[in-house]
Amino acid sequence: MTENRIPSSIFNPRSSLRKWGSFVRFSHTVFALPFALAAMLVAARDHRGWPGWRTFGLILAAMVCARTCAMAFNRIADRKFDALNPRTANRHLPTGQISLTGALTLWALAAAGLVAASYFLNPLCFYLSPVALAVISFYSLTKRFTDYTHVFLGLALALAPVGAWLAVKGPAVSILEIFQMTTLASAVVLWLVGFDIIYALQDYEFDKAHGLHSLVVAWGPKNALAAAFLAHMVMCGLLLAFGFLCRFGIAFFVGWLIIVGCLVLEHWIARRRSLNWINLAFFRLNAVVSAVFLVVVAAEVIFQGGFKLR
């Protein structure tokens, strides 16, 4: 007699955690989090980059909640298109691995978590948290009506360093720090615009056929790639300006050269290789960019100029 067994994975917390982490692409936190932590370090420069365990923990919680909220909303908003696209048809909502109710619950909990973390950080962060929620969620709708959807995603990602900076300093942020913060945020926007255009190459035919907007659809792959390269070169200029504004030294500028090299290699891959290489250009190289930036900023802040050329 055959028994009807319930899969053990239903009761496996590790399997469930892996499923939900995959649903919101938790691994992609490596893009925004290093920039947020780097901004935190610079904002807390007077204390060698350390704002205290409480502030650090709340910044980390706010970042995870914001990233989860944004990705959950994206998956909810795009579920019908994901079901039609062969590249995304196996995602959790189209295949029923996660229910719409479950996704909405996760989105609501993550949004509440962001607001709660902001409340315990400082009043400025708390008052701005609804604006952050609106921006990170709005991006998912922009591909329906504007070719500049990449810019909106860039703005959403740029909130990470801005939020971390304000979490440390609150309303006490200085004019110089506003310039530093704005320069870094602008660099993040252009970084995202560049690599999101490359990522959008995979869906060029699908987006064109289904009336979805992007610069790849509007300008064609070749022209869009040229725009992406320009965005990344301007981003490199802004990162260099950020280094000068922060009076960083040799460690930062060595890291800057590595970042430039990674971006040039990314565009070489995007132009010379097949679409199967896009994930390499998109994920690994950009993960290196953000990680290198965090490492060199940490080196400069923690050693307080010890790497400067004399």
Side-chain angles (χ1 to χ4, degrees):
M1 183 176 179
T2 303
E3 295 182 4
N4 293 322
R5 295 183 178 180
I6 300 175
S8 60
S9 60
I10 293 177
F11 303 107
N12 189 337
R14 183 179 298 179
S15 175
S16 180
L17 189 63
R18 190 183 302 117
K19 178 180 72 173
W20 286 99
S22 175
F23 173 62
V24 296
R25 290 292 184 91
F26 189 78
S27 59
H28 286 193
T29 305
V30 297
F31 296 144
L33 184 59
F35 281 95
L37 295 179
M40 178 198 76
L41 289 167
V42 179
R45 199 171 188 176
D46 292 341
H47 303 282
R48 289 186 179 267
W50 184 244
W53 282 108
R54 180 181 181 276
T55 300
F56 172 74
L58 288 170
I59 289 173
L60 204 59
M63 276 295 305
V64 171
C65 287
R67 178 69 178 70
T68 301
C69 177
M71 205 64 202
F73 188 85
N74 178 266
R75 292 294 188 252
I76 293 166
D78 285 355
R79 64 190 187 280
K80 293 182 180 178
F81 291 114
D82 285 346
L84 297 173
N85 188 340
R87 186 179 69 82
T88 58
N90 289 326
R91 285 178 176 171
H92 300 78
L93 282 176
T95 58
Q97 299 174 63
I98 288 176
S99 68
L100 179 58
T101 300
L104 286 167
T105 301
L106 178 65
W107 170 77
L109 289 173
L114 173 60
V115 173
S118 302
Y119 175 81
F120 288 107
L121 279 165
N122 59 59
L124 180 60
C125 288
F126 177 61
Y127 297 144
L128 291 176
S129 60
V131 178
L133 284 173
V135 172
I136 62 178
S137 297
F138 181 66
Y139 149 71
S140 297
L141 305 176
T142 57
K143 64 184 70 176
R144 292 158 174 78
F145 61 85
T146 178
D147 299 330
Y148 296 92
T149 178
H150 321 281
V151 177
F152 287 94
L153 181 56
L155 290 171
L157 196 72
L159 291 181
V162 172
W165 206 305
L166 295 179
V168 175
K169 300 304 288 277
V173 62
S174 68
I175 298 298
L176 174 59
E177 286 180 309
I178 291 174
F179 276 112
Q180 293 168 335
M181 184 171 57
T182 304
T183 301
L184 179 57
S186 300
V188 171
V189 170
L190 291 172
W191 175 54
L192 189 284
V193 168
F195 77 67
D196 195 53
I197 287 175
I198 293 174
Y199 189 71
L201 291 172
Q202 300 175 100
D203 294 326
Y204 170 62
E205 296 294 344
F206 178 85
D207 290 349
K208 189 176 180 180
H210 290 81
L212 295 175
H213 296 263
S214 74
L215 289 179
V216 178
V217 173
W219 296 350
K222 185 176 180 180
N223 290 333
L225 274 175
F229 183 75
L230 177 61
H232 277 161
M233 292 304 99
V234 177
M235 173 251 188
C236 290
L238 288 171
L239 281 187
L240 192 61
F242 176 75
F244 282 116
L245 283 171
C246 294
R247 287 185 273 185
F248 287 153
I250 187 66
F252 181 84
F253 296 108
V254 169
W256 180 81
L257 288 173
I258 294 173
I259 288 171
V260 173
C262 286
L263 294 175
V264 170
L265 178 58
E266 180 177 351
H267 284 273
W268 183 86
I269 290 174
R271 290 172 180 272
R272 302 293 182 181
R273 299 287 184 170
S274 66
L275 290 179
N276 293 332
W277 284 72
I278 290 293
N279 282 329
L280 172 64
F282 173 75
F283 188 81
R284 295 183 185 177
L285 287 174
N286 286 297
V288 171
V289 166
S290 58
V292 167
F293 182 78
L294 174 59
V295 168
V296 296
V297 168
E300 291 286 353
V301 171
I302 292 170
F303 291 95
Q304 295 187 338
F307 290 95
K308 284 186 177 179
L309 290 172
R310 301 294 182 185

